Amino acid sequence: MNRSFIGNDKREEDAVPILRVETWAGLPVEKKKDFVETLTRETVRILGCPPEAVTVVIDEVPKENWGAAGQLCTERFPDR
């Protein structure tokens, strides 16, 4: 991989990305684990940084605290 330079003489491998994801509450732990592993792997591939530099934060928000198109998501997307 070509290690180009990004702003102010910083190398891509010097990147320390923090990925913040918001989702509805209730994702199973196994899905979160897979999601974090995939985001980390792809961030490393794209930015060329080491996996240890990548932080992923998953913020789970209850559907009743999330609105879309003028409705609470509990109304717009009721649980089946």
Side-chain angles (χ1 to χ4, degrees), residues 5 7-10 12 14 17 24 33-34 38 42 49 53-56 58 60 65 70 78-80:
F5 288 88
N8 298 329
D9 295 329
K10 288 193 174 257
E12 290 174 349
D14 292 336
W24 291 334
K33 181 179 174 183
D34 185 37
T38 300
E42 289 303 300
C49 61
V54 180
T55 299
V56 179
I58 299 173
E60 290 188 279
N65 293 345
D79 292 332
R80 292 174 179 64

Side-chain angles (χ1 to χ4, degrees), residues 3 12-17 40 43-44 47-55:
R3 301 282 188 219
E12 290 174 349
E13 60 266 21
D14 292 336
V16 183
T40 300
T43 300
V44 167
L47 297 182
C49 61
E52 298 78 21
V54 180
T55 299

